[in-house]
Amino acid sequence: MVPAAVTTTGWTAKTIVPLPIPSRYLVRELDRIPSQLPERCAIVGAGRLGHALAAALRAAGVEVDGPLGRGARPQAEVVLLCVPDGEIRAAAEAIPARRPAASDKTRDAGPAAGEGAPRLVGHCSGATTLEPLHPHEAFSLHPLMTVPEGGAAPFEGAGCAVAGTTPRALHVAEAIARALHMRPVTVADEDRAAYHAAASIAANFLVTLEGAAERLAATAGVERELLVPLARAALENWAAKGAGQALTGPVARGDEATIARQRAAVEARTPDLLDAFDALVAASRVVVAA
């Protein structure tokens, strides 16, 4: 029976029995699993991303070999390929695989060259699956962020698509992402193309769209800088509320007369943008109807 206490008001209060606390050992184990950050990592590919990742990993306390040139044969336990998509397979094939560790009977003689834990090989492509990395134990790590020319990449707070052929490979990819203060999300091989297309729409096509707006505005004597606050506010509104609530303008209002006048202006001044304008109006109608 739960003991009771009589208060000065005459009410009987039950003693609150605290709920069982989860095992501290279990909590420690769960925390440990995704934190398998390698002590040493080799980066192959001396482009913008290779340099940015090398600098960021060193700042996170990881010993980094490279960025190394393409065709390099790194010896680190973890190798990260920052090469173009079409060169991933060749770069992976150039990396020697480690042989299984020696048996107990021969281990006293010391490991032979290339023995030890299987080497982990990863790539940084958003659209490519893990298949080109076969037969290595493989992972992928794709920062959802653009890397500027000659500058440090703003990895902190960015998303990062990860995948792995084994739990160990996936945990290492997640650990690297977290060490760079990114937010890892697992994206399966069958979802890679859709994920990367979404990223292209969000970043690449957004720039293309703003370029189109810049061209049309110039025909009216309006400079690009005057469009920037409008574009920034729309992006922030989408980030906070989603497309359905953020969309404004004549399509959202159902103002067909204004849409027709806009279309005529586009056709007259930038006719090559007319198909894109029509497609965007149609896509905006879908957002309104959702």
Side-chain angles (χ1 to χ4, degrees):
M1 175 180 288
V2 177
V6 179
T7 68
T8 55
T9 59
W11 290 95
T12 301
K14 292 184 178 180
T15 301
I16 299 175
V17 180
L19 295 173
I21 298 175
S23 165
R24 291 181 180 178
Y25 173 79
L26 176 59
V27 171
R28 285 197 301 269
E29 284 298 296
L30 291 175
D31 288 341
R32 183 183 64 81
I33 288 175
S35 63
Q36 297 178 7
L37 185 66
E39 295 182 0
R40 182 184 174 197
C41 175
I43 291 181
V44 177
R48 287 182 294 176
L49 183 58
H51 280 285
L53 283 174
L57 284 171
R58 287 191 180 102
V62 178
E63 181 182 347
V64 178
D65 299 338
L68 306 173
R70 298 170 193 172
R73 295 171 63 85
Q75 299 300 314
E77 177 188 359
V78 175
V79 180
L80 190 54
L81 305 178
C82 299
V83 300
D85 292 10
E87 299 181 21
I88 291 175
R89 188 182 302 276
E93 290 174 348
I95 299 172
R98 288 186 176 182
R99 295 193 298 273
S103 65
D104 291 340
K105 294 181 180 180
T106 60
R107 191 169 292 147
D108 292 341
E115 284 188 346
R119 180 170 282 115
L120 291 172
V121 179
H123 67 60
C124 293
S125 169
T128 306
T129 69
L130 297 176
E131 188 275 331
L133 300 178
H134 181 78
H136 296 289
E137 186 175 357
F139 69 95
S140 64
L141 177 85
H142 178 252
L144 200 53
M145 176 56 62
T146 58
V147 179
E149 185 72 44
F155 292 125
E156 185 171 355
C160 186
V162 297
T165 55
T166 66
R168 181 176 80 117
L170 179 59
H171 293 158
V172 167
E174 292 173 337
I176 293 174
R178 290 194 177 98
L180 302 185
H181 304 289
M182 292 188 288
R183 300 169 57 188
V185 56
T186 302
V187 178
D189 275 1
E190 60 268 23
D191 295 326
R192 300 295 293 196
Y195 153 78
H196 200 248
S200 293
I201 294 171
N204 311 143
F205 295 172
L206 177 61
V207 173
T208 301
L209 182 61
E210 295 303 340
E214 178 183 357
R215 285 179 53 203
L216 186 59
T219 69
V222 177
E223 297 179 350
R224 180 183 70 246
E225 289 76 8
L226 296 179
L227 296 175
V228 172
L230 174 65
R232 183 177 290 124
L235 186 60
E236 291 296 334
N237 204 23
W238 166 75
K241 301 178 180 179
Q245 296 185 50
L247 185 65
T248 61
V251 176
R253 297 193 301 269
D255 186 349
E256 297 299 330
T258 297
I259 294 172
R261 287 195 297 272
Q262 290 179 340
R263 187 180 190 280
V266 171
E267 185 175 22
R269 301 188 179 202
T270 52
D272 59 302
L273 297 178
L274 186 60
D275 288 344
F277 179 86
D278 288 341
L280 288 167
V281 167
S284 298
R285 295 190 198 280
V286 172
V287 172
V288 172

